[in-house]
Amino acid sequence: MNLRGRNKVSPEFNMSSMTDIVFLLLVFFMLTSPAVTPEALDLLLPKAKGKTSNQQNVSVSINKDLEVFINSEQINKNQLEIELQKRLRGEEDPTIILRAEQSVPIQDAVNVMDIAKRNKYKIVLAVKP
C-alpha cells in the first residue's frame, strides 16, 4: 500500500520576484532623489479673507514687476526705509502692512521685514494671488 502523495510541494523559495521589486524600488529612489533639494526653503504662506485688527498706519505693496508702493505712491526701493521712517515718525504703535504678490521673490519681502525689525515696527503680511 503506497501512502505517499503524488504532488510534492517544493520547499524552495523563488527569489526572482522579490529581486525585481527591490530593483524597481532602487531605480525609483535613484531617479527621484536629485529632485529633492534639502537647501530649498519651502514656505506655505497663509491666505486670509478676513480683515486685520491692527491699525493700518502704512501699507507697503510689491507687485510682480518688483515695483514698491507706499499707500499707492510708487517709490524707489533704496528710499523705502527713509520714507517709512518719515511717515511713521511720532506714531505710538507703528504698523506696516506688507502686500506682496505670489510671484514676488521672497527676498524682496524679507527686505521689508528687516526694515521693520530694525526700526521696531509691527508688520502684517498679506499675500495677493
Side-chain angles (χ1 to χ4, degrees):
M1 182 166 190
N2 190 1
L3 294 176
R4 293 186 193 174
R6 294 183 188 174
N7 299 332
K8 289 190 176 182
V9 177
S10 174
E12 298 174 8
F13 184 70
N14 190 353
M15 293 288 290
S16 64
S17 57
M18 185 179 292
T19 306
D20 290 343
I21 292 172
V22 170
F23 178 75
L24 288 175
L25 286 173
L26 177 67
V27 169
F28 172 78
F29 286 115
M30 285 176 55
L31 292 176
T32 58
S33 64
V36 178
T37 55
E39 59 273 342
L41 181 62
D42 187 21
L43 292 178
L44 297 175
L45 299 175
K47 296 179 183 178
K49 301 280 183 193
K51 297 189 178 195
T52 62
S53 61
N54 294 335
Q55 178 184 359
Q56 178 179 349
N57 294 325
V58 173
S59 172
V60 176
S61 302
I62 305 172
N63 65 10
K64 63 183 175 190
D65 299 324
L66 302 181
E67 297 170 332
V68 179
F69 297 88
I70 294 181
N71 294 341
S72 75
E73 178 186 332
Q74 185 175 1
I75 62 158
N76 189 347
K77 279 186 194 181
N78 300 330
Q79 299 296 319
L80 179 63
E81 186 166 7
I82 296 167
E83 284 292 322
L84 287 174
Q85 288 172 347
K86 274 196 260 185
R87 293 175 190 231
L88 294 173
R89 186 177 298 132
E91 292 289 334
E92 186 176 313
D93 193 18
T95 302
I96 297 173
I97 299 203
L98 174 60
R99 292 185 173 97
E101 293 184 6
Q102 285 183 340
S103 61
V104 171
I106 193 70
Q107 184 60 44
D108 290 324
V110 170
N111 289 339
V112 177
M113 291 179 198
D114 288 341
I115 290 171
K117 184 177 180 182
R118 273 196 302 269
N119 293 292
K120 296 184 173 81
Y121 303 145
K122 287 191 330 187
I123 190 156
V124 177
L125 181 63
V127 179
K128 293 190 277 185

